[in-house]
């Protein structure tokens, strides 16, 4: 069997003003099975819990249309036991992983 993930998601968008929207998400991730991962990584006993992905962002539309849209935010993964089982032997203790993003959409 191929590994696949189970995802439970919760999120909310908040329209602060007509130009500004805040976006929040929380994703809880698990491997359904780890048999293939254990064979591929030559490790036994990999836990199913991948971790929790949290993100917070903002969308700004300065002209109240879709000609200019600016999005930005931050996302982080709080590693679960399965993620640590895979990556701790390679790089030591894996802490929270963070990433920032910015997206600019210009439409004529």
């Amino acid at each position: 069997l191929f590994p696949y993930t189970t995802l439970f998601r919760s999120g909310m968008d908040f329209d602060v003003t007509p130009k500004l929207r805040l976006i929040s998400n929380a994703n809880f991730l698990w491997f359904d099975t780890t048999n293939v991962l254990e064979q591929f990584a030559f490790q036994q006993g990999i836990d199913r819990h991948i971790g929790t992905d949290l993100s917070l962002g903002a969308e700004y539309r300065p002209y109240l249309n879709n000609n200019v849209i600016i999005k930005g935010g931050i996302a982080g993964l709080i590693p679960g036991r399965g993620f640590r089982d895979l990556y701790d032997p390679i790089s030591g203790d894996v802490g929270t992983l963070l990433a920032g993003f910015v997206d600019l959409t210009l439409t004529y």
Side-chain angles (χ1 to χ4, degrees), residues 13 22 32-33 35 47 49 61 65 71 75 77 79 85 91 101 104-105:
D13 293 356
L22 296 179
D32 183 62
T33 180
N35 297 341
D47 194 76
H49 184 231
R61 299 180 317 136
N65 59 24
K71 295 179 186 176
L77 175 69
D85 287 345
S91 63
F101 59 92
L104 174 64
T105 302

Side-chain angles (χ1 to χ4, degrees), residues 74-93:
I74 188 166
L77 175 69
I78 302 168
R81 184 71 188 146
F83 192 91
R84 291 180 189 278
D85 287 345
L86 284 169
Y87 289 102
D88 278 354
I90 297 169
S91 63
D93 186 32

Side-chain angles (χ1 to χ4, degrees), residues 6-11 24-30 49-56 75-80:
T6 301
L7 168 86
F8 291 106
R9 178 182 180 267
S10 177
S24 63
N25 286 302
N27 299 303
F28 307 97
L29 304 154
W30 290 270
H49 184 231
I50 300 169
T52 303
D53 170 53
L54 303 171
S55 62
L56 182 63
L77 175 69
I78 302 168

Side-chain angles (χ1 to χ4, degrees), residues 14-22 58-61 64:
F14 303 94
D15 290 329
V16 180
T17 69
K19 294 182 178 184
L20 180 65
R21 172 183 290 167
L22 296 179
E59 177 182 274
Y60 182 65
R61 299 180 317 136
L64 294 175

